[in-house]
Amino acid sequence: MNLFLTSNPLKKDGSINDANDFLWNFKYSLSYENNALFIASDPTYRVATLRFADQLKNAINSAGVFVKSMDVLDNENADMSKEEIQRHNLIILAGGHVPTQNSFFNEIDLKSKLEGYNGTVLGISAGSMNAAQEVYAIPEVEGETADSFVKFLPGLGLTNVQIVPHYDETMASVVDGKKIDNLVLFDSRDKKFLGLPDGSYLNSADGHELVYGPFYTIANGISTRTEAGFMAKSFD
């Protein structure tokens, strides 16, 4: 499996964000002709899922990567088999609300259906977070800073890295009147999170995990920025 975990692979104008050699590395992992599967974040909201899947397909094609088909997996075909899923050589884990997507992934047993997969997986924001063995669900909406909110969830197990996507925006956000940066730093006392600004990404292939672009190591209540320069760096 070739795994790309991003905050957002698109720029504001809807085109592929080619920062930090993303397009080159992404292209290299794919075939000349690709069949993609876009897995929803909210399986009940098909209209939005289809719209974003189509937007992403157009962006990828415009960047010179030929995506022949872009199927969607949501509630309407939640019984899709392991064989049907793995028939796609590109699988995209959508962005959205982390707990909602996590519940859907567990409901359809996506973790076991991805076992042995040897294609490319592209995670976007929530999809990148839910790719982890243990998912760190950062409060996003009103009520989620309550003590009853479950922050750590079982994920797909594609990586052990717990990602904080859209680092600058996420850490500057406020939920229930509480600063998210304070909550994330508090939660990192016995954890280690990878903060990804837009344009940076983690690539995992052949047992090697490298971060392309600047990133933050959030651990022991401290956030430390690493400048990648011209070389990708491991997240130790």
Side-chain angles (χ1 to χ4, degrees), residues 97 99 137-151 174-178 180 183:
H97 185 240
I138 303 167
E140 299 176 65
V141 298
E142 185 177 349
E144 290 186 344
T145 63
D147 292 340
S148 58
F149 178 68
V150 180
K151 293 181 183 177
V174 176
V175 178
D176 296 330
K178 299 178 181 179
I180 292 302
L183 297 179

Side-chain angles (χ1 to χ4, degrees), residues 72-200:
V72 164
L73 174 55
D74 60 8
N75 272 353
E76 292 196 16
N77 54 352
D79 60 349
M80 186 178 288
S81 69
K82 178 175 182 175
E83 291 72 24
E84 290 173 312
I85 289 175
Q86 296 206 13
R87 203 170 290 148
H88 302 84
N89 71 309
L90 171 61
I91 293 176
I92 300 162
L93 309 175
H97 185 240
V98 175
T100 300
Q101 185 183 60
N102 185 272
S103 177
F104 178 55
F105 285 0
N106 284 300
E107 177 187 329
I108 64 175
D109 196 19
L110 184 59
K111 182 176 182 177
S112 69
K113 291 178 179 179
L114 289 178
E115 289 178 357
Y117 181 66
N118 61 4
T120 295
V121 175
L122 172 62
I124 302 172
S125 193
S128 295
M129 299 167 79
N130 277 315
Q133 180 71 33
E134 180 187 58
V135 179
Y136 176 42
I138 303 167
E140 299 176 65
V141 298
E142 185 177 349
E144 290 186 344
T145 63
D147 292 340
S148 58
F149 178 68
V150 180
K151 293 181 183 177
F152 295 96
L153 304 164
L156 297 178
L158 306 182
T159 180
N160 288 319
V161 179
Q162 296 168 300
I163 288 177
V164 177
H166 315 291
Y167 177 86
D168 300 302
E169 294 82 358
T170 298
M171 296 295 273
S173 63
V174 176
V175 178
D176 296 330
K178 299 178 181 179
K179 294 182 177 180
I180 292 302
D181 59 348
N182 290 338
L183 297 179
V184 172
L185 292 174
F186 180 83
D187 290 338
S188 74
R189 288 171 304 162
D190 56 354
K191 303 282 186 180
K192 184 170 71 170
F193 309 133
L194 169 62
L196 283 181
D198 286 4
S200 298

